[in-house]
Amino acid sequence: MKRGEVKLITDGKRIDGRKPEEMRNVEIKLDVISRSDGSAEVAFGKTRVLASVYGPRALFPKYLQEHETGILRCRYSMAPFSVDERKSPAPDRRSIELSKVIRLALEPAIFLEDFPKTVVDVYLEVIEADGSTRVTGINASSLALALAGIPMRDLVCACSVGKINDTLILDLNGREDNYSEVDMAFAMMPGKGKITLLQMDGLVTKEELKKLIEIAKSTCEKIYEMQKNALREKYRVSE
Ligand code: UDP
């Protein structure tokens, strides 16, 4: 079956029972790896991604150092058991691309120029994949960076939007992603109003594109509150 040919909406409900603009349940866990400088696990429904941050630390070999700024490295990786068919743990084209786009989505938020010659490493491990892993990973990374005490301009919040059976939807699951007419990964710094990632597959009209961005932006605002609440909860001083 081709994209757009699979029935994914029946009587206004998606295959997992959601309405078109409904998100899956979001779960946030902080400090999941004691050895890291900052770590967080975020789940959107069955999609679960762990992010672990190390640094800023001196970068070796020395020729990789930038004298004017620190650098950010991201590694996106899927656990062999995270998908239906065993996933080889070796990096493939997709994980190399995703590592890059995640880095580009996070970089604008970090004051890397304050840490010349250093590196900040972000390791993302997909524990279970059911669509939208890159955006789930960006949310986990944003929290892990904040927990590592890395100075940031803003948190980075991300979600996916798309189109199935001619209907615009929010937060694609795996099957929806595979057979969607359009899917878009979106990230932004809500406090700054700046978009840091917009990737799209498929064709949309100008009106649909505007609407998709509108849905994505208002969802990122909600995720912003969830990220801030999780951080506040951790640092709350009990009275
Ligand atoms: N997927 C899979 N095996 C793979 C890669 C992807 O089963 O090797 C599934 C997984 O559920 C993933 C979805 O396909 O979330 C969509 O992958 P895509 O490349 O669009 O990235 P994502 O939406 O996860 O950011």
Side-chain angles (χ1 to χ4, degrees):
M1 290 261 223
K2 286 201 202 119
R3 280 174 169 250
E5 286 179 1
V6 177
K7 193 158 172 58
L8 294 168
I9 295 205
T10 313
D11 299 331
K13 288 273 173 75
R14 293 156 67 176
I15 47 173
D16 52 13
R18 281 184 290 159
K19 293 188 213 106
E21 292 181 31
E22 191 177 330
M23 276 203 82
R24 289 173 286 184
N25 188 40
V26 179
E27 201 187 311
I28 295 177
K29 286 189 200 158
L30 305 182
D31 298 327
V32 280
I33 310 249
S34 58
R35 220 175 275 119
S36 77
D37 292 318
S39 62
E41 189 180 299
V42 173
F44 280 11
K46 281 188 275 179
T47 292
R48 184 172 293 275
V49 186
L50 177 67
S52 195
V53 168
Y54 302 82
R57 55 189 177 185
L59 177 58
F60 294 105
K62 252 183 157 176
Y63 68 85
L64 292 175
Q65 293 180 359
E66 291 285 342
H67 288 253
E68 308 270 304
T69 183
I71 66 164
L72 177 68
R73 287 192 298 210
C74 294
R75 195 198 70 174
Y76 167 102
S77 155
M78 281 184 134
F81 51 79
S82 65
V83 283
D84 289 339
E85 259 182 49
R86 179 185 176 275
K87 172 84 184 62
S88 157
D92 54 11
R93 274 176 59 136
R94 176 178 172 275
S95 62
I96 293 166
E97 183 211 324
L98 264 54
S99 299
K100 181 181 176 183
V101 299
I102 291 167
R103 173 172 61 78
L104 294 175
L106 297 169
E107 238 167 19
I110 307 172
F111 286 97
L112 284 166
E113 60 276 25
D114 289 354
F115 304 95
K117 303 183 186 174
T118 70
V119 62
V120 174
D121 280 303
V122 183
Y123 294 97
L124 296 105
E125 299 293 331
V126 178
I127 309 296
E128 192 165 354
D130 184 24
S132 310
T133 58
R134 81 193 69 188
V135 291
T136 309
I138 290 170
N139 290 309
S141 304
S142 165
L143 287 161
L145 285 161
L147 290 169
I150 313 268
M152 292 165 80
R153 293 177 176 84
D154 198 3
L155 293 165
V156 183
C157 302
C159 65
S160 66
V161 286
K163 185 165 115 175
I164 52 172
N165 304 152
D166 260 330
T167 309
L168 301 185
I169 58 158
L170 168 65
D171 185 26
L172 281 70
N173 65 33
R175 191 165 163 78
E176 288 173 338
D177 189 293
N178 288 342
Y179 295 105
S180 60
E181 285 122 77
V182 175
D183 73 278
M184 182 199 286
F186 184 93
M188 71 179 296
M189 294 190 277
K192 298 269 170 208
K194 288 202 171 142
I195 296 171
T196 62
L197 175 70
L198 201 161
Q199 278 188 294
M200 194 178 76
D201 270 343
L203 294 173
V204 280
T205 64
K206 198 169 159 188
E207 286 316 307
E208 284 172 337
L209 181 61
K210 276 190 186 162
K211 179 74 184 151
L212 285 176
I213 292 175
E214 200 183 291
I215 301 170
K217 274 187 171 171
S218 72
T219 304
C220 284
E221 296 281 352
K222 288 181 194 140
I223 296 171
Y224 195 39
E225 290 311 311
M226 292 179 202
Q227 287 197 21
K228 285 196 290 187
N229 285 341
L231 292 168
R232 275 195 205 112
E233 191 62 31
K234 174 182 159 69
Y235 292 108
R236 196 166 53 146
V237 184
S238 50
E239 279 131 44

